[in-house]
Amino acid sequence: MDTSPIAGLVAACALIAACESQPAVTFVANGGDFDVLSLTEVQDTCDAPARLGYLTWWDGATLRGCWVRDGRYIRMRITNLDDVRIPVGDFRSTEIADDRLRTPD
């Protein structure tokens, strides 16, 4: 029995699953001390109402943390770091947020 079509299908499914494992980024902001703060709608390990975010440094290192709206700011908490607070107006929506008509709330 020729298993190459089955192996190809399994490999394609694994590749698609790997690509989908990163949550969709809905908003981004650039900073002076960091490169990009990316927000997602996924709760992951964050307690409600906080959601998962990524803080990318200029050297390429990326940290995960939990973000919430705090008045006119987005506050992101990352273990062993001071909270990062960025004004809501500094964030740009991604195409995903535009398609879903989302705001950073």
Side-chain angles (χ1 to χ4, degrees), residues 40-88:
T40 76
E41 295 178 339
V42 175
Q43 282 195 294
D44 194 46
T45 58
C46 302
D47 294 330
R51 287 166 272 179
L52 181 64
Y54 298 95
L55 184 63
T56 304
W57 299 98
W58 291 106
D59 65 3
T62 300
L63 301 173
R64 293 167 50 116
C66 298
W67 70 272
V68 294
R69 174 104 184 231
D70 185 8
R72 296 182 307 193
Y73 294 89
I74 296 294
R75 180 173 43 90
M76 185 162 164
R77 178 159 290 156
I78 301 173
T79 305
N80 299 325
L81 290 179
D82 291 336
D83 286 2
V84 176
R85 288 174 42 104
I86 305 293
V88 171

